[in-house]
Amino acid sequence: MIRNNIIAIIAISFITVGGLWGIGNLVNPPQPSSLDRREGILLVAKDNLFNETNPTIYAKIDEPNKLTIMNKDLVRHDFIVEELNINTAILSPEQDFVTAIASEKAGEFEYYCSLHPATMRGSIVVR
Ligand SMILES: [Cu+2]
């Protein structure tokens, strides 16, 4: 009688531990190992220029290309690409804005700052 009770207690213990292990896996599923952490394209507005030289930006066709606009200047800027429907709105100093270049057509598209269109303009090439 006592022996049967001990066997029952051991069996219940195994079931309990196994159950908790299973629940633990459900609550904390293994993390996916290959999170996409691509940095994308960074444009810093400073001294009324983008990245000092208003560089030509290259983006891939048919996929979102992450684009971050950062205002590290003492004045306000924005970033507009009319043909790609990108408009950050006005960014105050130290503000930034994350968007994407996404185009189904290849080509060259003009970007500019609407507050300083004479000095802050360049090209985005989608290919
Ligand atoms: Cu500007």
Side-chain angles (χ1 to χ4, degrees):
M1 188 64 183
I2 292 174
R3 193 176 161 188
N4 279 350
N5 282 348
I6 290 173
I7 290 171
I9 289 169
I10 290 172
I12 290 168
S13 298
F14 271 104
I15 291 166
T16 305
V17 170
L20 290 176
W21 181 81
I23 290 168
N25 277 355
L26 288 177
V27 173
N28 297 310
Q31 295 297 312
S33 58
S34 60
L35 283 175
D36 190 351
R37 296 189 185 279
R38 281 181 300 174
E39 289 296 316
I41 302 156
L42 174 64
L43 272 188
V44 177
K46 198 168 191 294
D47 300 329
N48 282 5
L49 292 167
F50 290 110
N51 286 9
E52 299 183 348
T53 59
N54 297 326
T56 297
I57 297 167
Y58 295 92
K60 285 183 182 161
I61 193 169
D62 282 332
E63 65 177 81
N65 300 257
K66 184 180 171 186
L67 172 67
T68 304
I69 311 295
M70 238 179 217
N71 185 0
K72 287 289 180 186
D73 215 337
L74 301 174
V75 298
R76 302 184 307 161
H77 297 290
D78 64 8
F79 180 88
I80 294 170
V81 190
E82 285 165 12
E83 293 164 287
L84 299 177
N85 293 320
I86 298 172
N87 187 336
T88 64
I90 302 290
L91 300 175
S92 296
E94 297 304 319
Q95 267 194 323
D96 55 46
F97 190 90
V98 179
T99 181
I101 301 166
S103 179
E104 295 174 345
K105 57 183 180 189
E108 187 165 346
F109 310 97
E110 187 173 55
Y111 69 77
Y112 63 93
C113 167
S114 71
L115 301 176
H116 312 95
T119 58
M120 301 180 81
R121 65 169 60 239
S123 291
I124 294 176
V125 174
V126 176
R127 58 188 182 183

